[in-house]
């Protein structure tokens, strides 16, 4: 069974440019999460999809970030326009369980560097 | 508000010695507690979780953790460390009464020397 896959693994862009990160969850997992870790800091929650619906987007930092999950399969996270403070590693995770007791399965992350 | 504290940035132990990685938490309701490990250039891997029941939970690779409600702690332990245990460890908590987000600590780097 394939795990959670993320693309690209690393992206380097200039301030003001746009970047789109993609996440393919484990097949059949309805729950999809985006997290971000800035170097040396905690991993911060961004948002949670249940199928194609946004269940919780309380962690999205501002309106420069747009997440979508059309059709309830893969998800994209777009940053437009990117700022220096957006640099970090963006993790995607998925889970099957509908409740809050299940563990998450993480991708390897997409490292974003904004210059 | 939910929060997790991992007071140590780094823990150093010698191979064969017991190890402890500390974690304390703060939630409004009852906590669901998790430990994850991240090896270099890899995603986070689930180690173990506490939901309810026995305070001592056992997980992957010989790790265990003890839930202590009075001290609001969930320390990760292993009786005998291996060099291959060297990695970044994250503690995480969900409040069973508040949303679905898993809240992480900032991580503790475990270094096991041979």
């Amino acid at each position: 069974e394939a795990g959670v896959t993320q693309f690209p693994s690393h992206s380097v862009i200039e301030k003001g440019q746009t970047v789109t990160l993609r996440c393919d969850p484990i097949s059949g997992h309805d729950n999809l999460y985006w997290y971000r870790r800035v170097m040396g800091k905690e991993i911060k929650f961004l948002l949670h999809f249940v199928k194609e619906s946004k269940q919780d987007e309380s962690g999205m930092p501002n309106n420069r970030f747009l997440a979508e999950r059309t059709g309830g399969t893969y998800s994209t996270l777009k940053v437009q326009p990117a700022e220096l403070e957006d640099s970090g590693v963006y993790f995607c995770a998925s889970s099957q369980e509908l409740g809050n007791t299940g563990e998450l399965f993480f991708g390897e992350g997409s490292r974003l560097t904004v210059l | 508000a939910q929060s997790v504290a991992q007071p140590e940035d780094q823990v150093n132990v010698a191979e064969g010695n017991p190890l402890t990685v500390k974690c304390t938490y703060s939630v409004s309701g009852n906590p669901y507690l998790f430990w994850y490990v991240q090896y270099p250039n890899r995603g986070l891997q689930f180690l173990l979780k506490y939901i309810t029941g026995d305070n001592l939970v056992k997980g992957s690779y010989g790790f265990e953790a003890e839930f202590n409600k009075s001290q609001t702690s969930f320390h990760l332990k292993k009786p005998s460390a291996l060099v291959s245990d060297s990695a970044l460890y994250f503690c995480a908590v969900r409040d069973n009464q508040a949303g679905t987000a898993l809240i992480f600590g900032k991580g503790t780097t475990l270094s096991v020397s041979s």
Side-chain angles (χ1 to χ4, degrees), chain A residues 33 35 37 40-43 45 48 55-56 91 97 99-109, chain B residues 32 34 36 38 41-44 46 49 51 88 90 94-96 99-102 104-106:
Chain A
Y33 304 80
Y35 285 84
R37 184 174 192 237
K41 307 273 187 178
E42 67 272 18
I43 300 172
F45 168 79
H48 170 207
Q55 180 77 10
D56 181 354
F91 290 103
E97 294 187 37
N100 290 341
T101 61
E103 61 267 29
L104 305 184
F105 295 84
F106 281 81
E108 295 186 357
Chain B
Y32 298 148
F34 301 78
Y36 286 82
Q38 185 183 21
N41 301 314
R42 303 296 300 275
L44 279 75
F46 168 77
K49 66 181 177 182
I51 302 301
L88 182 57
F90 291 95
R94 262 198 194 114
D95 186 334
N96 73 335
T100 59
L102 194 58
F104 285 85
K106 62 180 174 63

mmCIF file of all heavy atoms in Angstrom, chain A residues 33 35 37 40-43 45 48 55-56 91 97 99-109, chain B residues 32 34 36 38 41-44 46 49 51 88 90 94-96 99-102 104-106:
data_model
loop_
_atom_site.group_PDB
_atom_site.id
_atom_site.type_symbol
_atom_site.label_atom_id
_atom_site.label_comp_id
_atom_site.label_asym_id
_atom_site.label_seq_id
_atom_site.Cartn_x
_atom_site.Cartn_y
_atom_site.Cartn_z
ATOM 1 N N TYR A 33 -4.869 16.245 6.411
ATOM 2 C CA TYR A 33 -4.407 17.358 7.227
ATOM 3 C C TYR A 33 -3.173 17.995 6.584
ATOM 4 O O TYR A 33 -2.344 17.309 6.003
ATOM 5 C CB TYR A 33 -4.009 16.886 8.626
ATOM 6 C CG TYR A 33 -5.068 16.138 9.393
ATOM 7 C CD1 TYR A 33 -5.314 14.787 9.150
ATOM 8 C CD2 TYR A 33 -5.811 16.763 10.392
ATOM 9 C CE1 TYR A 33 -6.277 14.100 9.860
ATOM 10 C CE2 TYR A 33 -6.770 16.069 11.120
ATOM 11 C CZ TYR A 33 -6.998 14.738 10.849
ATOM 12 O OH TYR A 33 -7.958 14.053 11.564
ATOM 13 N N TYR A 35 0.056 20.447 7.828
ATOM 14 C CA TYR A 35 0.810 21.010 8.938
ATOM 15 C C TYR A 35 2.040 21.730 8.377
ATOM 16 O O TYR A 35 2.465 21.474 7.255
ATOM 17 C CB TYR A 35 1.295 19.915 9.899
ATOM 18 C CG TYR A 35 0.248 19.328 10.796
ATOM 19 C CD1 TYR A 35 -0.588 18.306 10.368
ATOM 20 C CD2 TYR A 35 0.089 19.798 12.102
ATOM 21 C CE1 TYR A 35 -1.546 17.768 11.215
ATOM 22 C CE2 TYR A 35 -0.861 19.260 12.959
ATOM 23 C CZ TYR A 35 -1.680 18.247 12.506
ATOM 24 O OH TYR A 35 -2.624 17.718 13.351
ATOM 25 N N ARG A 37 6.084 23.120 9.664
ATOM 26 C CA ARG A 37 7.094 23.272 10.700
ATOM 27 C C ARG A 37 8.145 24.262 10.228
ATOM 28 O O ARG A 37 8.812 24.058 9.217
ATOM 29 C CB ARG A 37 7.766 21.942 11.045
ATOM 30 C CG ARG A 37 8.759 22.087 12.197
ATOM 31 C CD ARG A 37 9.332 20.771 12.644
ATOM 32 N NE ARG A 37 10.039 20.925 13.917
ATOM 33 C CZ ARG A 37 11.316 20.613 14.102
ATOM 34 N NH1 ARG A 37 12.027 20.118 13.095
ATOM 35 N NH2 ARG A 37 11.877 20.771 15.289
ATOM 36 N N GLY A 40 13.149 24.392 13.842
ATOM 37 C CA GLY A 40 13.330 24.423 15.281
ATOM 38 C C GLY A 40 12.079 24.686 16.094
ATOM 39 O O GLY A 40 12.132 24.701 17.322
ATOM 40 N N LYS A 41 10.973 24.871 15.430
ATOM 41 C CA LYS A 41 9.739 25.167 16.151
ATOM 42 C C LYS A 41 8.807 23.955 16.125
ATOM 43 O O LYS A 41 9.124 22.915 15.552
ATOM 44 C CB LYS A 41 9.017 26.352 15.482
ATOM 45 C CG LYS A 41 9.867 27.580 15.302
ATOM 46 C CD LYS A 41 9.827 28.457 16.522
ATOM 47 C CE LYS A 41 10.548 29.762 16.249
ATOM 48 N NZ LYS A 41 10.499 30.674 17.391
ATOM 49 N N GLU A 42 7.657 24.126 16.768
ATOM 50 C CA GLU A 42 6.705 23.028 16.774
ATOM 51 C C GLU A 42 6.041 22.869 15.409
ATOM 52 O O GLU A 42 6.062 23.768 14.577
ATOM 53 C CB GLU A 42 5.637 23.245 17.856
ATOM 54 C CG GLU A 42 4.708 24.419 17.620
ATOM 55 C CD GLU A 42 5.255 25.699 18.197
ATOM 56 O OE1 GLU A 42 6.461 25.784 18.475
ATOM 57 O OE2 GLU A 42 4.464 26.643 18.348
ATOM 58 N N ILE A 43 5.466 21.698 15.194
ATOM 59 C CA ILE A 43 4.701 21.444 13.986
ATOM 60 C C ILE A 43 3.318 22.037 14.198
ATOM 61 O O ILE A 43 2.587 21.646 15.109
ATOM 62 C CB ILE A 43 4.603 19.931 13.718
ATOM 63 C CG1 ILE A 43 6.006 19.336 13.531
ATOM 64 C CG2 ILE A 43 3.744 19.660 12.502
ATOM 65 C CD1 ILE A 43 6.014 17.820 13.455
ATOM 66 N N PHE A 45 -0.564 23.028 13.125
ATOM 67 C CA PHE A 45 -1.731 22.623 12.355
ATOM 68 C C PHE A 45 -2.166 23.756 11.446
ATOM 69 O O PHE A 45 -2.218 24.926 11.855
ATOM 70 C CB PHE A 45 -2.850 22.255 13.321
ATOM 71 C CG PHE A 45 -4.198 22.090 12.684
ATOM 72 C CD1 PHE A 45 -4.523 20.937 12.003
ATOM 73 C CD2 PHE A 45 -5.145 23.095 12.783
ATOM 74 C CE1 PHE A 45 -5.763 20.774 11.426
ATOM 75 C CE2 PHE A 45 -6.387 22.955 12.213
ATOM 76 C CZ PHE A 45 -6.706 21.796 11.538
ATOM 77 N N HIS A 48 -7.791 20.847 8.151
ATOM 78 C CA HIS A 48 -8.249 19.469 8.101
ATOM 79 C C HIS A 48 -9.401 19.361 7.121
ATOM 80 O O HIS A 48 -10.382 20.101 7.226
ATOM 81 C CB HIS A 48 -8.688 19.046 9.514
ATOM 82 C CG HIS A 48 -9.392 17.735 9.597
ATOM 83 N ND1 HIS A 48 -10.292 17.457 10.608
ATOM 84 C CD2 HIS A 48 -9.330 16.617 8.837
ATOM 85 C CE1 HIS A 48 -10.764 16.228 10.459
ATOM 86 N NE2 HIS A 48 -10.189 15.704 9.388
ATOM 87 N N GLN A 55 -13.037 20.755 7.331
ATOM 88 C CA GLN A 55 -13.591 20.505 8.654
ATOM 89 C C GLN A 55 -13.114 21.558 9.652
ATOM 90 O O GLN A 55 -13.848 21.974 10.539
ATOM 91 C CB GLN A 55 -13.164 19.118 9.127
ATOM 92 C CG GLN A 55 -13.661 18.714 10.494
ATOM 93 C CD GLN A 55 -15.110 18.295 10.484
ATOM 94 O OE1 GLN A 55 -15.705 18.123 9.422
ATOM 95 N NE2 GLN A 55 -15.700 18.138 11.641
ATOM 96 N N ASP A 56 -11.854 21.941 9.509
ATOM 97 C CA ASP A 56 -11.257 22.883 10.453
ATOM 98 C C ASP A 56 -10.113 23.595 9.735
ATOM 99 O O ASP A 56 -9.171 22.939 9.318
ATOM 100 C CB ASP A 56 -10.734 22.119 11.680
ATOM 101 C CG ASP A 56 -10.107 23.018 12.740
ATOM 102 O OD1 ASP A 56 -9.959 24.238 12.509
ATOM 103 O OD2 ASP A 56 -9.744 22.496 13.813
ATOM 104 N N PHE A 91 3.942 19.577 5.926
ATOM 105 C CA PHE A 91 3.615 18.159 6.014
ATOM 106 C C PHE A 91 2.130 17.938 5.719
ATOM 107 O O PHE A 91 1.273 18.707 6.153
ATOM 108 C CB PHE A 91 3.899 17.621 7.418
ATOM 109 C CG PHE A 91 5.351 17.525 7.764
ATOM 110 C CD1 PHE A 91 5.945 18.473 8.584
ATOM 111 C CD2 PHE A 91 6.125 16.487 7.270
ATOM 112 C CE1 PHE A 91 7.292 18.391 8.905
ATOM 113 C CE2 PHE A 91 7.465 16.388 7.590
ATOM 114 C CZ PHE A 91 8.044 17.351 8.409
ATOM 115 N N GLU A 97 -9.746 6.883 10.387
ATOM 116 C CA GLU A 97 -10.732 6.922 11.461
ATOM 117 C C GLU A 97 -11.444 8.261 11.513
ATOM 118 O O GLU A 97 -10.828 9.314 11.374
ATOM 119 C CB GLU A 97 -10.052 6.635 12.805
ATOM 120 C CG GLU A 97 -9.520 5.226 12.901
ATOM 121 C CD GLU A 97 -9.007 4.904 14.285
ATOM 122 O OE1 GLU A 97 -9.616 5.379 15.261
ATOM 123 O OE2 GLU A 97 -8.009 4.202 14.387
ATOM 124 N N GLY A 99 -13.124 9.438 14.151
ATOM 125 C CA GLY A 99 -13.025 10.070 15.458
ATOM 126 C C GLY A 99 -11.680 10.706 15.671
ATOM 127 O O GLY A 99 -10.885 10.845 14.760
ATOM 128 N N ASN A 100 -11.400 11.072 16.899
ATOM 129 C CA ASN A 100 -10.152 11.765 17.201
ATOM 130 C C ASN A 100 -9.084 10.854 17.781
ATOM 131 O O ASN A 100 -8.055 11.345 18.224
ATOM 132 C CB ASN A 100 -10.431 12.888 18.208
ATOM 133 C CG ASN A 100 -11.206 14.005 17.575
ATOM 134 O OD1 ASN A 100 -11.242 14.128 16.367
ATOM 135 N ND2 ASN A 100 -11.830 14.825 18.393
ATOM 136 N N THR A 101 -9.313 9.547 17.753
ATOM 137 C CA THR A 101 -8.387 8.653 18.440
ATOM 138 C C THR A 101 -7.362 8.013 17.517
ATOM 139 O O THR A 101 -6.448 7.350 17.976
ATOM 140 C CB THR A 101 -9.160 7.523 19.147
ATOM 141 O OG1 THR A 101 -9.879 6.767 18.149
ATOM 142 C CG2 THR A 101 -10.160 8.082 20.148
ATOM 143 N N GLY A 102 -7.531 8.203 16.227
ATOM 144 C CA GLY A 102 -6.654 7.518 15.292
ATOM 145 C C GLY A 102 -5.357 8.249 15.031
ATOM 146 O O GLY A 102 -5.292 9.471 15.091
ATOM 147 N N GLU A 103 -4.335 7.470 14.733
ATOM 148 C CA GLU A 103 -3.058 8.081 14.404
ATOM 149 C C GLU A 103 -3.082 8.593 12.971
ATOM 150 O O GLU A 103 -3.851 8.133 12.137
ATOM 151 C CB GLU A 103 -1.907 7.075 14.582
ATOM 152 C CG GLU A 103 -1.982 5.850 13.702
ATOM 153 C CD GLU A 103 -2.690 4.695 14.395
ATOM 154 O OE1 GLU A 103 -3.558 4.936 15.255
ATOM 155 O OE2 GLU A 103 -2.366 3.543 14.055
ATOM 156 N N LEU A 104 -2.209 9.560 12.707
ATOM 157 C CA LEU A 104 -2.064 10.124 11.385
ATOM 158 C C LEU A 104 -0.892 9.472 10.672
ATOM 159 O O LEU A 104 0.108 9.103 11.290
ATOM 160 C CB LEU A 104 -1.825 11.635 11.475
ATOM 161 C CG LEU A 104 -2.857 12.447 12.245
ATOM 162 C CD1 LEU A 104 -2.541 13.935 12.154
ATOM 163 C CD2 LEU A 104 -4.262 12.173 11.755
ATOM 164 N N PHE A 105 -0.997 9.382 9.353
ATOM 165 C CA PHE A 105 0.080 8.874 8.515
ATOM 166 C C PHE A 105 0.624 10.066 7.726
ATOM 167 O O PHE A 105 -0.116 10.707 6.983
ATOM 168 C CB PHE A 105 -0.436 7.786 7.568
ATOM 169 C CG PHE A 105 -0.915 6.556 8.287
ATOM 170 C CD1 PHE A 105 -2.205 6.498 8.800
ATOM 171 C CD2 PHE A 105 -0.081 5.467 8.465
ATOM 172 C CE1 PHE A 105 -2.653 5.368 9.481
ATOM 173 C CE2 PHE A 105 -0.517 4.339 9.130
ATOM 174 C CZ PHE A 105 -1.804 4.281 9.647
ATOM 175 N N PHE A 106 1.892 10.333 7.900
ATOM 176 C CA PHE A 106 2.488 11.537 7.339
ATOM 177 C C PHE A 106 3.264 11.266 6.057
ATOM 178 O O PHE A 106 3.871 10.193 5.889
ATOM 179 C CB PHE A 106 3.451 12.176 8.342
ATOM 180 C CG PHE A 106 2.773 12.960 9.415
ATOM 181 C CD1 PHE A 106 2.221 12.335 10.520
ATOM 182 C CD2 PHE A 106 2.666 14.342 9.317
ATOM 183 C CE1 PHE A 106 1.577 13.061 11.515
ATOM 184 C CE2 PHE A 106 2.040 15.076 10.301
ATOM 185 C CZ PHE A 106 1.487 14.446 11.400
ATOM 186 N N GLY A 107 3.281 12.258 5.181
ATOM 187 C CA GLY A 107 4.188 12.271 4.059
ATOM 188 C C GLY A 107 5.555 12.762 4.501
ATOM 189 O O GLY A 107 5.752 13.138 5.659
ATOM 190 N N GLU A 108 6.494 12.788 3.562
ATOM 191 C CA GLU A 108 7.866 13.180 3.897
ATOM 192 C C GLU A 108 8.043 14.693 3.951
ATOM 193 O O GLU A 108 9.091 15.169 4.357
ATOM 194 C CB GLU A 108 8.844 12.565 2.900
ATOM 195 C CG GLU A 108 8.877 11.032 2.983
ATOM 196 C CD GLU A 108 9.949 10.419 2.116
ATOM 197 O OE1 GLU A 108 10.645 11.155 1.390
ATOM 198 O OE2 GLU A 108 10.087 9.183 2.156
ATOM 199 N N GLY A 109 7.023 15.409 3.544
ATOM 200 C CA GLY A 109 7.088 16.860 3.639
ATOM 201 C C GLY A 109 7.570 17.527 2.369
ATOM 202 O O GLY A 109 8.285 16.935 1.559
ATOM 203 N N TYR B 32 -6.044 12.971 24.366
ATOM 204 C CA TYR B 32 -5.564 11.844 23.578
ATOM 205 C C TYR B 32 -4.105 12.177 23.256
ATOM 206 O O TYR B 32 -3.838 13.222 22.671
ATOM 207 C CB TYR B 32 -6.366 11.683 22.290
ATOM 208 C CG TYR B 32 -7.832 11.389 22.486
ATOM 209 C CD1 TYR B 32 -8.776 11.843 21.568
ATOM 210 C CD2 TYR B 32 -8.293 10.663 23.577
ATOM 211 C CE1 TYR B 32 -10.127 11.571 21.716
ATOM 212 C CE2 TYR B 32 -9.640 10.391 23.746
ATOM 213 C CZ TYR B 32 -10.559 10.855 22.815
ATOM 214 O OH TYR B 32 -11.889 10.594 22.982
ATOM 215 N N PHE B 34 -0.085 11.227 21.860
ATOM 216 C CA PHE B 34 0.616 10.501 20.813
ATOM 217 C C PHE B 34 2.113 10.816 20.869
ATOM 218 O O PHE B 34 2.517 11.918 21.260
ATOM 219 C CB PHE B 34 0.108 10.911 19.419
ATOM 220 C CG PHE B 34 -1.354 10.676 19.190
ATOM 221 C CD1 PHE B 34 -2.303 11.541 19.718
ATOM 222 C CD2 PHE B 34 -1.785 9.606 18.418
ATOM 223 C CE1 PHE B 34 -3.663 11.336 19.504
ATOM 224 C CE2 PHE B 34 -3.144 9.396 18.191
ATOM 225 C CZ PHE B 34 -4.082 10.254 18.732
ATOM 226 N N TYR B 36 5.363 10.566 18.025
ATOM 227 C CA TYR B 36 5.805 10.309 16.662
ATOM 228 C C TYR B 36 7.324 10.446 16.620
ATOM 229 O O TYR B 36 7.922 11.180 17.402
ATOM 230 C CB TYR B 36 5.200 11.315 15.679
ATOM 231 C CG TYR B 36 3.747 11.084 15.374
ATOM 232 C CD1 TYR B 36 2.758 11.540 16.232
ATOM 233 C CD2 TYR B 36 3.358 10.415 14.222
ATOM 234 C CE1 TYR B 36 1.419 11.329 15.956
ATOM 235 C CE2 TYR B 36 2.021 10.205 13.927
ATOM 236 C CZ TYR B 36 1.058 10.654 14.804
ATOM 237 O OH TYR B 36 -0.271 10.447 14.519
ATOM 238 N N GLN B 38 10.660 11.099 13.820
ATOM 239 C CA GLN B 38 11.059 11.491 12.463
ATOM 240 C C GLN B 38 12.529 11.186 12.265
ATOM 241 O O GLN B 38 13.386 11.776 12.934
ATOM 242 C CB GLN B 38 10.793 12.976 12.211
ATOM 243 C CG GLN B 38 11.084 13.377 10.786
ATOM 244 C CD GLN B 38 10.887 14.857 10.527
ATOM 245 O OE1 GLN B 38 10.900 15.684 11.437
ATOM 246 N NE2 GLN B 38 10.676 15.210 9.275
ATOM 247 N N ASN B 41 15.180 13.078 6.710
ATOM 248 C CA ASN B 41 14.603 13.072 5.365
ATOM 249 C C ASN B 41 13.422 12.125 5.225
ATOM 250 O O ASN B 41 13.150 11.619 4.133
ATOM 251 C CB ASN B 41 15.670 12.722 4.311
ATOM 252 C CG ASN B 41 16.820 13.705 4.326
ATOM 253 O OD1 ASN B 41 16.605 14.916 4.374
ATOM 254 N ND2 ASN B 41 18.036 13.207 4.313
ATOM 255 N N ARG B 42 12.734 11.881 6.308
ATOM 256 C CA ARG B 42 11.555 11.025 6.281
ATOM 257 C C ARG B 42 10.382 11.761 6.905
ATOM 258 O O ARG B 42 10.533 12.783 7.569
ATOM 259 C CB ARG B 42 11.814 9.727 7.055
ATOM 260 C CG ARG B 42 12.988 8.913 6.569
ATOM 261 C CD ARG B 42 12.771 8.406 5.146
ATOM 262 N NE ARG B 42 11.602 7.561 5.027
ATOM 263 C CZ ARG B 42 11.594 6.255 5.284
ATOM 264 N NH1 ARG B 42 12.692 5.649 5.680
ATOM 265 N NH2 ARG B 42 10.494 5.554 5.133
ATOM 266 N N GLY B 43 9.187 11.236 6.691
ATOM 267 C CA GLY B 43 8.007 11.790 7.342
ATOM 268 C C GLY B 43 7.902 11.291 8.772
ATOM 269 O O GLY B 43 8.661 10.434 9.210
ATOM 270 N N LEU B 44 6.964 11.841 9.513
ATOM 271 C CA LEU B 44 6.753 11.411 10.892
ATOM 272 C C LEU B 44 6.120 10.022 10.905
ATOM 273 O O LEU B 44 5.216 9.728 10.115
ATOM 274 C CB LEU B 44 5.823 12.378 11.625
ATOM 275 C CG LEU B 44 6.453 13.648 12.161
ATOM 276 C CD1 LEU B 44 6.745 14.631 11.047
ATOM 277 C CD2 LEU B 44 5.538 14.291 13.195
ATOM 278 N N PHE B 46 4.253 7.131 13.395
ATOM 279 C CA PHE B 46 3.546 6.907 14.640
ATOM 280 C C PHE B 46 4.280 5.874 15.492
ATOM 281 O O PHE B 46 4.713 4.830 14.992
ATOM 282 C CB PHE B 46 2.131 6.420 14.320
ATOM 283 C CG PHE B 46 1.367 5.883 15.493
ATOM 284 C CD1 PHE B 46 0.814 6.749 16.418
ATOM 285 C CD2 PHE B 46 1.194 4.524 15.658
ATOM 286 C CE1 PHE B 46 0.091 6.260 17.487
ATOM 287 C CE2 PHE B 46 0.478 4.019 16.727
ATOM 288 C CZ PHE B 46 -0.073 4.882 17.648
ATOM 289 N N LYS B 49 0.194 5.579 21.282
ATOM 290 C CA LYS B 49 -0.818 6.533 21.703
ATOM 291 C C LYS B 49 -1.479 6.081 22.996
ATOM 292 O O LYS B 49 -1.529 4.886 23.312
ATOM 293 C CB LYS B 49 -1.886 6.721 20.615
ATOM 294 C CG LYS B 49 -2.720 5.470 20.346
ATOM 295 C CD LYS B 49 -3.745 5.734 19.244
ATOM 296 C CE LYS B 49 -4.542 4.467 18.922
ATOM 297 N NZ LYS B 49 -5.514 4.692 17.810
ATOM 298 N N ILE B 51 -5.224 6.605 24.711
ATOM 299 C CA ILE B 51 -6.587 7.113 24.540
ATOM 300 C C ILE B 51 -7.341 6.966 25.868
ATOM 301 O O ILE B 51 -7.921 7.914 26.388
ATOM 302 C CB ILE B 51 -7.333 6.369 23.422
ATOM 303 C CG1 ILE B 51 -6.545 6.496 22.102
ATOM 304 C CG2 ILE B 51 -8.751 6.921 23.268
ATOM 305 C CD1 ILE B 51 -6.315 7.914 21.634
ATOM 306 N N LEU B 88 14.411 12.481 15.721
ATOM 307 C CA LEU B 88 13.652 13.597 16.294
ATOM 308 C C LEU B 88 12.297 13.069 16.754
ATOM 309 O O LEU B 88 11.585 12.434 15.968
ATOM 310 C CB LEU B 88 13.488 14.688 15.234
ATOM 311 C CG LEU B 88 12.783 15.983 15.590
ATOM 312 C CD1 LEU B 88 13.454 16.674 16.769
ATOM 313 C CD2 LEU B 88 12.780 16.898 14.371
ATOM 314 N N PHE B 90 8.514 13.683 18.512
ATOM 315 C CA PHE B 90 7.464 14.668 18.746
ATOM 316 C C PHE B 90 6.350 14.078 19.602
ATOM 317 O O PHE B 90 5.847 12.991 19.311
ATOM 318 C CB PHE B 90 6.837 15.138 17.425
ATOM 319 C CG PHE B 90 7.733 15.969 16.570
ATOM 320 C CD1 PHE B 90 8.481 15.386 15.560
ATOM 321 C CD2 PHE B 90 7.827 17.343 16.762
ATOM 322 C CE1 PHE B 90 9.302 16.155 14.760
ATOM 323 C CE2 PHE B 90 8.654 18.116 15.968
ATOM 324 C CZ PHE B 90 9.394 17.521 14.962
ATOM 325 N N ARG B 94 -4.453 15.674 21.455
ATOM 326 C CA ARG B 94 -5.763 16.142 20.996
ATOM 327 C C ARG B 94 -6.639 16.263 22.226
ATOM 328 O O ARG B 94 -6.617 15.421 23.098
ATOM 329 C CB ARG B 94 -6.397 15.116 20.065
ATOM 330 C CG ARG B 94 -6.261 15.354 18.600
ATOM 331 C CD ARG B 94 -7.299 14.529 17.860
ATOM 332 N NE ARG B 94 -7.004 14.461 16.447
ATOM 333 C CZ ARG B 94 -6.667 13.346 15.816
ATOM 334 N NH1 ARG B 94 -6.567 12.220 16.474
ATOM 335 N NH2 ARG B 94 -6.443 13.370 14.527
ATOM 336 N N ASP B 95 -7.428 17.307 22.288
ATOM 337 C CA ASP B 95 -8.424 17.469 23.332
ATOM 338 C C ASP B 95 -9.703 16.802 22.849
ATOM 339 O O ASP B 95 -10.204 17.140 21.778
ATOM 340 C CB ASP B 95 -8.648 18.965 23.578
ATOM 341 C CG ASP B 95 -9.569 19.237 24.758
ATOM 342 O OD1 ASP B 95 -10.401 18.378 25.084
ATOM 343 O OD2 ASP B 95 -9.438 20.314 25.339
ATOM 344 N N ASN B 96 -10.243 15.882 23.623
ATOM 345 C CA ASN B 96 -11.424 15.157 23.137
ATOM 346 C C ASN B 96 -12.662 16.042 23.071
ATOM 347 O O ASN B 96 -13.697 15.634 22.560
ATOM 348 C CB ASN B 96 -11.702 13.927 24.006
ATOM 349 C CG ASN B 96 -12.263 14.297 25.371
ATOM 350 O OD1 ASN B 96 -12.025 15.398 25.860
ATOM 351 N ND2 ASN B 96 -12.999 13.388 25.982
ATOM 352 N N GLY B 99 -12.308 20.147 18.836
ATOM 353 C CA GLY B 99 -11.804 20.077 17.481
ATOM 354 C C GLY B 99 -11.047 18.811 17.165
ATOM 355 O O GLY B 99 -10.970 17.877 17.958
ATOM 356 N N THR B 100 -10.465 18.835 15.985
ATOM 357 C CA THR B 100 -9.820 17.632 15.491
ATOM 358 C C THR B 100 -8.316 17.788 15.331
ATOM 359 O O THR B 100 -7.639 16.841 14.978
ATOM 360 C CB THR B 100 -10.403 17.272 14.117
ATOM 361 O OG1 THR B 100 -10.171 18.376 13.226
ATOM 362 C CG2 THR B 100 -11.900 17.042 14.210
ATOM 363 N N ALA B 101 -7.811 18.970 15.553
ATOM 364 C CA ALA B 101 -6.392 19.213 15.308
ATOM 365 C C ALA B 101 -5.519 18.487 16.323
ATOM 366 O O ALA B 101 -5.804 18.486 17.516
ATOM 367 C CB ALA B 101 -6.106 20.702 15.353
ATOM 368 N N LEU B 102 -4.451 17.882 15.834
ATOM 369 C CA LEU B 102 -3.436 17.276 16.680
ATOM 370 C C LEU B 102 -2.383 18.353 16.914
ATOM 371 O O LEU B 102 -1.823 18.891 15.969
ATOM 372 C CB LEU B 102 -2.846 16.072 15.966
ATOM 373 C CG LEU B 102 -1.993 15.085 16.756
ATOM 374 C CD1 LEU B 102 -2.749 14.505 17.922
ATOM 375 C CD2 LEU B 102 -1.500 13.984 15.834
ATOM 376 N N PHE B 104 1.195 19.580 18.283
ATOM 377 C CA PHE B 104 2.522 19.014 18.480
ATOM 378 C C PHE B 104 3.401 19.893 19.356
ATOM 379 O O PHE B 104 3.259 21.118 19.387
ATOM 380 C CB PHE B 104 3.223 18.841 17.136
ATOM 381 C CG PHE B 104 2.728 17.685 16.317
ATOM 382 C CD1 PHE B 104 1.624 17.830 15.499
ATOM 383 C CD2 PHE B 104 3.372 16.454 16.374
ATOM 384 C CE1 PHE B 104 1.163 16.761 14.746
ATOM 385 C CE2 PHE B 104 2.917 15.389 15.629
ATOM 386 C CZ PHE B 104 1.814 15.537 14.809
ATOM 387 N N GLY B 105 4.341 19.235 20.019
ATOM 388 C CA GLY B 105 5.437 19.951 20.658
ATOM 389 C C GLY B 105 6.493 20.290 19.622
ATOM 390 O O GLY B 105 6.369 19.963 18.446
ATOM 391 N N LYS B 106 7.578 20.948 20.081
ATOM 392 C CA LYS B 106 8.598 21.390 19.135
ATOM 393 C C LYS B 106 9.636 20.326 18.826
ATOM 394 O O LYS B 106 10.507 20.538 17.973
ATOM 395 C CB LYS B 106 9.272 22.663 19.636
ATOM 396 C CG LYS B 106 10.018 22.518 20.946
ATOM 397 C CD LYS B 106 10.634 23.853 21.342
ATOM 398 C CE LYS B 106 11.263 23.802 22.719
ATOM 399 N NZ LYS B 106 12.384 22.864 22.821
#
